[in-house]
Amino acid sequence: MFPPSLIDKLAAAHRVVVLTGAGVSAESGIPTFRDAQTGIWSQYDPEQLATPQAFRQNPKLVWEWYAWRRELIDGAQPNPGHYALAEWPDLFPSFTLITQNVDGFHHLAGNKEVIELHGNLQRIKCVENGHVIPHWQELSGQPPACPHCGTLLRPDVVWFGETLPTRALITAVEASRTADVFFAVGTSALVQPAASLPVEAVERGALLVEINLQPTALTSWADFAFHAPSGTILPPLTRELASRRHPS
Ligand code: BJW
């Protein structure tokens, strides 16, 4: 199923980096960022909701959108693509998993170290001082107030125009620049700076593999592109790699 030249390269690879996007969670039933949404949310553009301006103008609307997404995630499970990636730390001498997703599914599937570039939906923080609050009481769609400073609480995610967590970004850039093989999985590669990571990797000599339902801006950079659901590509690829690494 997989080109022998890819399997050979992966079997010899020391440093492997995977960047995931919303597509890796699509088979868990979580809508991707740029897909149509359902119900009342179909009338809103996620790019307009994921901004500090939107939260300032209408905190209740943005809070409710995130509460809806949190509920979807709470009712869903990681899928075979996530579980396959949970085996990758055992397959390579060095493995780095970077995600743009805020759903926490890689952790839930078993990856112990995950670089979350865009934060995590299960945490909230206050707008003024960034106090992080792990548990809170849902108040009929209203954002609660910070118990420390009284300012509004918002999801601990990265919105457009905001900077990414510094340590996470530095680690992601360093890993990408030194990767032997870089996988871009289920991302449209439209949002910066995450979209630059695969390009940084290729420019420093990494092999680029794309797994996505459809071609993206990255496809022309890719050495191998699989245009199919990640949940159908990653499990057999993992089995093939495991059998090469640990022949029975
Ligand atoms: C499947 C599948 C299956 C489906 N299997 N595949 C340089 C140039 C131009 C603009 C900028 C720039 N630098 C910064 C910017 C501005 C901005 C930006 O990038 N804008 C672009 C839209 C042009 N970036 C920022 O503002 C970032 N901050 C920053 O850079 O700070 C410094 C700075 C500020 C201002 C100016 C300059 C510098 C912050 C970006 C934060 C992004 N935040 C969001 C929301 C997070 C919280 C939340 O989830 O609500 O992150 S936006 C959204 O997009 C979310 C995602 O993580 C992110 C990426 O989306 P992703 O994952 O790629 O999803 P989709 O839906 O786009 O694609 C899914 C793919 O899966 C598709 O291709 C499908 O085909 C595929 N698929 N099913 C495999 N089963």
Side-chain angles (χ1 to χ4, degrees), residues 21-23 26-27 32-34 47 50 65-66 69 100-102 118 157-164 186-193 212-214 216 228-230:
E27 290 154 82
T32 66
F33 217 81
R34 285 162 188 84
E47 290 211 10
W65 180 56
Y66 278 95
R69 289 176 58 202
Q100 299 166 83
N101 299 343
V102 297
H118 294 163
V157 298
V158 182
W159 284 330
F160 284 115
E162 296 183 322
T163 51
L164 277 65
T187 178
S188 59
L190 292 173
V191 174
Q192 297 293 349
N212 196 302
L213 281 189
Q214 57 195 4
T216 71
S230 47

Side-chain angles (χ1 to χ4, degrees), residues 2-246:
F2 298 100
S5 56
L6 171 61
I7 299 298
D8 288 345
K9 290 245 166 62
L10 283 168
H14 284 273
R15 286 176 293 274
V16 173
V17 173
V18 174
L19 170 69
T20 63
V24 81
S25 295
E27 290 154 82
S28 296
I30 308 300
T32 66
F33 217 81
R34 285 162 188 84
D35 273 346
Q37 302 192 67
T38 56
I40 59 160
W41 299 109
S42 58
Q43 57 189 300
Y44 295 100
D45 175 358
E47 290 211 10
Q48 304 302 318
L49 292 171
T51 67
Q53 294 85 335
F55 189 70
R56 269 197 299 277
Q57 278 162 16
N58 196 339
K60 185 169 188 289
L61 175 77
V62 174
W63 180 266
E64 282 180 339
W65 180 56
Y66 278 95
W68 171 73
R69 289 176 58 202
R70 208 177 281 119
E71 247 175 66
L72 273 184
I73 290 164
D74 287 347
Q77 298 291 330
N79 65 56
H82 296 107
Y83 287 113
L85 287 176
E87 295 182 36
W88 285 34
D90 293 335
L91 296 179
F92 305 104
S94 161
F95 174 67
T96 305
L97 179 57
I98 307 166
T99 190
Q100 299 166 83
N101 299 343
V102 297
D103 55 31
F105 280 170
H106 288 303
H107 275 295
L108 210 53
N111 284 98
K112 291 192 176 58
E113 288 176 34
V114 184
I115 300 177
E116 292 183 320
L117 286 181
H118 294 163
N120 192 302
L121 199 58
Q122 305 296 355
R123 289 190 308 260
I124 58 175
K125 65 178 183 186
C126 69
V127 289
E128 201 56 44
N129 300 303
H131 294 129
V132 174
I133 310 294
H135 305 290
W136 67 95
Q137 184 97 35
E138 207 50 63
L139 299 171
S140 63
Q142 293 285 353
C146 176
H148 305 295
C149 64
T151 61
L152 281 189
L153 288 159
R154 53 159 280 186
D156 189 5
V157 298
V158 182
W159 284 330
F160 284 115
E162 296 183 322
T163 51
L164 277 65
T166 310
R167 177 51 34 207
L169 184 58
I170 289 174
T171 312
V173 170
E174 279 170 359
S176 304
R177 287 182 175 164
T178 53
D180 300 322
V181 184
F182 191 107
F183 280 78
V185 182
T187 178
S188 59
L190 292 173
V191 174
Q192 297 293 349
S196 295
L197 296 174
V199 176
E200 294 256 4
V202 169
E203 284 177 345
R204 284 165 178 79
L207 189 86
L208 177 62
V209 185
E210 177 174 68
I211 302 175
N212 196 302
L213 281 189
Q214 57 195 4
T216 71
L218 273 184
T219 308
S220 62
W221 294 80
D223 297 282
F224 297 93
F226 299 95
H227 291 138
S230 47
T232 66
I233 298 291
L234 288 168
L237 178 59
T238 305
R239 283 194 293 275
E240 197 156 338
L241 292 174
S243 70
R244 278 288 290 266
R245 289 270 175 184
H246 316 287

